[in-house]
Coordinates of all heavy atoms in Angstrom, one line a residue:
V387 N 7.0 7.8 26.1 CA 5.9 6.9 26.6 C 5.5 5.9 25.5 O 5.2 4.8 25.8 CB 4.7 7.7 27.2 CG1 4.1 8.6 26.1 CG2 3.7 6.8 27.8
E388 N 5.5 6.4 24.2 CA 5.0 5.5 23.2 C 6.1 4.5 22.7 O 5.8 3.6 22.0 CB 4.5 6.3 21.9 CG 5.6 7.2 21.3 CD 5.7 8.6 21.8 OE1 5.2 8.8 23.0 OE2 6.2 9.5 21.1
D389 N 7.3 4.7 23.2 CA 8.4 3.8 22.8 C 8.8 2.8 24.0 O 9.8 2.1 23.8 CB 9.6 4.6 22.4 CG 9.3 5.4 21.2 OD1 8.6 5.0 20.3 OD2 9.9 6.6 21.1
T390 N 8.2 2.9 25.1 CA 8.6 2.0 26.2 C 8.4 0.5 25.8 O 7.6 0.2 24.9 CB 7.8 2.3 27.5 OG1 6.4 2.0 27.3 CG2 7.9 3.8 27.9
T391 N 9.1 -0.3 26.5 CA 9.0 -1.7 26.3 C 7.6 -2.2 26.5 O 7.1 -3.0 25.7 CB 9.9 -2.5 27.3 OG1 11.3 -2.1 27.1 CG2 9.9 -4.0 27.0
L392 N 6.9 -1.7 27.5 CA 5.5 -2.1 27.8 C 4.6 -1.6 26.6 O 3.7 -2.4 26.1 CB 5.0 -1.4 29.1 CG 3.5 -1.7 29.4 CD1 3.3 -3.2 29.7 CD2 3.2 -0.9 30.7
A393 N 4.8 -0.4 26.1 CA 4.0 0.1 25.0 C 4.2 -0.8 23.7 O 3.3 -1.1 23.0 CB 4.4 1.6 24.7
K394 N 5.5 -1.2 23.5 CA 5.8 -2.0 22.4 C 5.1 -3.4 22.5 O 4.6 -3.9 21.5 CB 7.3 -2.2 22.2 CG 8.0 -1.0 21.6 CD 9.4 -1.3 21.3 CE 10.1 -0.1 20.7 NZ 11.5 -0.4 20.4
I395 N 5.1 -3.9 23.7 CA 4.5 -5.2 24.0 C 3.0 -5.1 23.7 O 2.4 -6.0 22.9 CB 4.7 -5.7 25.4 CG1 6.2 -6.0 25.7 CG2 3.8 -6.9 25.8 CD1 6.5 -6.2 27.1
I396 N 2.3 -4.1 24.2 CA 0.9 -3.9 24.0 C 0.6 -3.8 22.5 O -0.3 -4.4 22.0 CB 0.4 -2.7 24.8 CG1 0.4 -2.9 26.3 CG2 -1.1 -2.3 24.4 CD1 0.3 -1.7 27.1
H397 N 1.4 -3.0 21.8 CA 1.2 -2.7 20.4 C 1.3 -4.1 19.6 O 0.5 -4.4 18.8 CB 2.2 -1.7 19.8 CG 2.1 -1.5 18.4 ND1 1.1 -0.9 17.7 CD2 3.0 -1.9 17.4 CE1 1.3 -0.9 16.4 NE2 2.4 -1.5 16.2
L398 N 2.4 -4.8 19.9 CA 2.7 -6.0 19.2 C 1.7 -7.1 19.4 O 1.3 -7.9 18.6 CB 4.1 -6.5 19.5 CG 5.3 -5.7 18.9 CD1 6.6 -6.1 19.5 CD2 5.3 -5.8 17.4
V399 N 1.2 -7.2 20.7 CA 0.2 -8.2 21.0 C -1.2 -7.8 20.3 O -1.8 -8.7 19.8 CB -0.1 -8.2 22.6 CG1 -1.3 -9.1 22.9 CG2 1.2 -8.8 23.2
E400 N -1.5 -6.5 20.3 CA -2.7 -6.2 19.6 C -2.6 -6.4 18.1 O -3.6 -6.9 17.5 CB -3.0 -4.7 19.8 CG -3.5 -4.4 21.3 CD -3.9 -3.0 21.5 OE1 -3.4 -2.1 20.8 OE2 -4.7 -2.7 22.4
E401 N -1.4 -6.2 17.5 CA -1.2 -6.5 16.1 C -1.3 -8.0 15.9 O -1.8 -8.5 14.9 CB 0.1 -6.0 15.6 CG 0.2 -4.4 15.6 CD -0.8 -3.8 14.7 OE1 -0.9 -4.2 13.5 OE2 -1.6 -3.0 15.2
A402 N -0.8 -8.7 16.9 CA -0.8 -10.2 16.7 C -2.2 -10.8 16.7 O -2.5 -11.7 16.0 CB 0.0 -10.8 17.9
Q403 N -3.1 -10.1 17.4 CA -4.5 -10.6 17.5 C -5.2 -10.4 16.1 O -6.2 -11.0 15.8 CB -5.2 -9.8 18.6 CG -4.8 -10.2 19.9 CD -5.5 -9.5 21.0 OE1 -6.0 -8.4 20.8 NE2 -5.5 -10.0 22.2
A404 N -4.6 -9.4 15.3 CA -5.2 -9.2 14.0 C -4.7 -10.2 12.9 O -5.3 -10.4 11.9 CB -4.9 -7.8 13.5
E405 N -3.6 -10.8 13.2 CA -3.0 -11.8 12.3 C -3.9 -13.0 12.2 O -4.2 -13.6 13.2 CB -1.6 -12.2 12.8 CG -0.5 -11.2 12.6 CD -0.1 -11.0 11.2 OE1 0.0 -12.0 10.5 OE2 0.2 -9.8 10.8
R406 N -4.3 -13.4 11.0 CA -5.1 -14.5 10.9 C -4.4 -15.8 10.9 O -3.4 -16.0 10.1 CB -5.9 -14.4 9.5 CG -6.9 -13.3 9.6 CD -7.8 -13.3 8.3 NE -8.7 -12.2 8.4 CZ -9.9 -12.2 9.0 NH1 -10.3 -13.3 9.6 NH2 -10.7 -11.2 9.0
A407 N -4.8 -16.7 11.7 CA -4.2 -18.1 11.8 C -4.7 -18.9 10.6 O -5.7 -18.6 10.0 CB -4.5 -18.7 13.1
P408 N -3.9 -19.9 10.2 CA -4.4 -20.7 9.1 C -5.8 -21.3 9.2 O -6.6 -21.2 8.3 CB -3.4 -21.9 9.0 CG -2.1 -21.3 9.6 CD -2.6 -20.3 10.7
S409 N -6.1 -21.7 10.5 CA -7.5 -22.3 10.7 C -8.5 -21.2 10.6 O -9.7 -21.4 10.1 CB -7.6 -22.9 12.1 OG -7.2 -22.0 13.1
Q410 N -8.2 -19.9 11.0 CA -9.1 -18.8 10.9 C -9.4 -18.5 9.4 O -10.5 -18.2 9.0 CB -8.6 -17.6 11.7 CG -9.7 -16.6 11.9 CD -9.2 -15.5 12.8 OE1 -8.2 -15.6 13.5 NE2 -10.0 -14.4 12.8
A411 N -8.3 -18.5 8.6 CA -8.5 -18.2 7.2 C -9.4 -19.3 6.6 O -10.2 -18.9 5.7 CB -7.1 -18.2 6.6
F412 N -9.2 -20.5 7.0 CA -10.0 -21.6 6.5 C -11.5 -21.4 6.9 O -12.4 -21.5 6.0 CB -9.6 -22.9 7.0 CG -10.6 -24.0 7.0 CD1 -11.0 -24.6 5.8 CD2 -11.3 -24.4 8.1 CE1 -12.0 -25.6 5.7 CE2 -12.3 -25.4 8.1 CZ -12.6 -26.0 6.9
V413 N -11.7 -21.0 8.1 CA -13.1 -20.8 8.6 C -13.8 -19.6 7.9 O -14.9 -19.7 7.4 CB -13.1 -20.5 10.1 CG1 -14.4 -20.0 10.6 CG2 -12.8 -21.8 10.9
D414 N -13.0 -18.5 7.7 CA -13.6 -17.4 7.0 C -13.9 -17.7 5.6 O -15.0 -17.3 5.1 CB -12.6 -16.2 7.0 CG -12.4 -15.6 8.4 OD1 -13.2 -16.0 9.3 OD2 -11.4 -14.9 8.7
K415 N -13.1 -18.5 4.9 CA -13.3 -18.8 3.5 C -14.5 -19.8 3.4 O -15.4 -19.7 2.6 CB -12.1 -19.5 2.9 CG -12.1 -19.7 1.4 CD -10.8 -20.2 0.9 CE -10.8 -20.3 -0.6 NZ -9.5 -20.8 -1.2
F416 N -14.6 -20.7 4.4 CA -15.7 -21.7 4.4 C -17.0 -21.0 4.7 O -18.0 -21.3 4.0 CB -15.4 -22.7 5.6 CG -16.4 -23.8 5.7 CD1 -16.4 -24.9 4.9 CD2 -17.5 -23.7 6.6 CE1 -17.3 -25.9 5.0 CE2 -18.5 -24.6 6.7 CZ -18.4 -25.8 5.9
A417 N -17.0 -20.0 5.6 CA -18.2 -19.3 6.0 C -18.7 -18.5 4.8 O -19.9 -18.3 4.6 CB -18.0 -18.4 7.2
K418 N -17.8 -18.0 4.0 CA -18.1 -17.1 2.8 C -19.0 -17.9 1.8 O -19.9 -17.4 1.3 CB -16.8 -16.7 2.2 CG -17.0 -15.7 1.0 CD -15.7 -15.3 0.4 CE -15.9 -14.5 -0.8 NZ -14.6 -14.2 -1.5
Y419 N -18.7 -19.2 1.7 CA -19.5 -20.0 0.7 C -20.6 -20.8 1.4 O -21.6 -21.1 0.8 CB -18.6 -21.0 0.0 CG -17.5 -20.4 -0.8 CD1 -16.2 -20.3 -0.4 CD2 -17.8 -19.8 -2.0 CE1 -15.2 -19.6 -1.1 CE2 -16.9 -19.2 -2.8 CZ -15.6 -19.1 -2.4 OH -14.6 -18.5 -3.1
Y420 N -20.4 -21.0 2.7 CA -21.4 -21.8 3.5 C -22.7 -21.2 3.6 O -23.8 -21.8 3.4 CB -20.7 -22.1 4.9 CG -21.7 -22.6 6.0 CD1 -22.0 -23.9 6.0 CD2 -22.1 -21.7 6.9 CE1 -22.8 -24.4 7.0 CE2 -23.0 -22.2 7.9 CZ -23.3 -23.5 8.0 OH -24.1 -23.9 9.0
T421 N -22.7 -19.8 3.9 CA -24.0 -19.1 4.1 C -24.8 -19.1 2.9 O -26.0 -19.4 3.0 CB -23.7 -17.7 4.7 OG1 -22.9 -17.8 5.8 CG2 -25.0 -17.0 5.0
P422 N -24.3 -18.7 1.7 CA -25.1 -18.7 0.5 C -25.7 -20.1 0.2 O -26.8 -20.3 -0.3 CB -24.2 -18.3 -0.6 CG -23.1 -17.5 0.1 CD -23.0 -18.1 1.4
V423 N -24.8 -21.2 0.4 CA -25.3 -22.5 0.2 C -26.5 -22.9 1.1 O -27.4 -23.5 0.6 CB -24.1 -23.5 0.4 CG1 -24.6 -25.0 0.4 CG2 -23.1 -23.4 -0.7
I424 N -26.4 -22.5 2.3 CA -27.5 -22.8 3.3 C -28.8 -22.1 2.8 O -29.9 -22.6 2.9 CB -27.1 -22.3 4.7 CG1 -26.1 -23.2 5.4 CG2 -28.3 -22.1 5.6 CD1 -26.7 -24.6 5.7
I425 N -28.6 -20.8 2.3 CA -29.8 -20.1 1.8 C -30.5 -20.9 0.7 O -31.7 -21.0 0.6 CB -29.4 -18.7 1.4 CG1 -29.0 -17.8 2.6 CG2 -30.6 -18.0 0.6 CD1 -28.4 -16.5 2.3
V426 N -29.6 -21.4 -0.2 CA -30.2 -22.1 -1.4 C -30.8 -23.4 -0.9 O -32.0 -23.7 -1.3 CB -29.0 -22.5 -2.4 CG1 -29.5 -23.5 -3.4 CG2 -28.5 -21.2 -3.0
I427 N -30.2 -24.1 0.1 CA -30.8 -25.4 0.6 C -32.1 -25.1 1.3 O -33.1 -25.8 1.1 CB -29.8 -26.0 1.6 CG1 -28.6 -26.6 0.9 CG2 -30.5 -27.1 2.4 CD1 -27.5 -27.1 1.8
A428 N -32.2 -24.0 2.1 CA -33.4 -23.6 2.8 C -34.5 -23.3 1.8 O -35.7 -23.7 1.9 CB -33.2 -22.4 3.7

Side-chain angles (χ1 to χ4, degrees):
V387 64
E388 62 269 21
D389 297 326
T390 63
T391 302
L392 179 62
K394 282 186 178 179
I395 292 169
I396 292 167
H397 174 73
L398 289 168
V399 169
E400 289 184 332
E401 291 303 304
Q403 291 177 337
E405 287 286 323
R406 291 186 181 275
S409 58
Q410 193 171 346
F412 159 74
V413 165
D414 291 347
K415 193 172 181 181
F416 182 84
K418 184 180 175 183
Y419 297 104
Y420 165 81
T421 306
V423 166
I424 284 291
I425 291 171
V426 171
I427 291 171

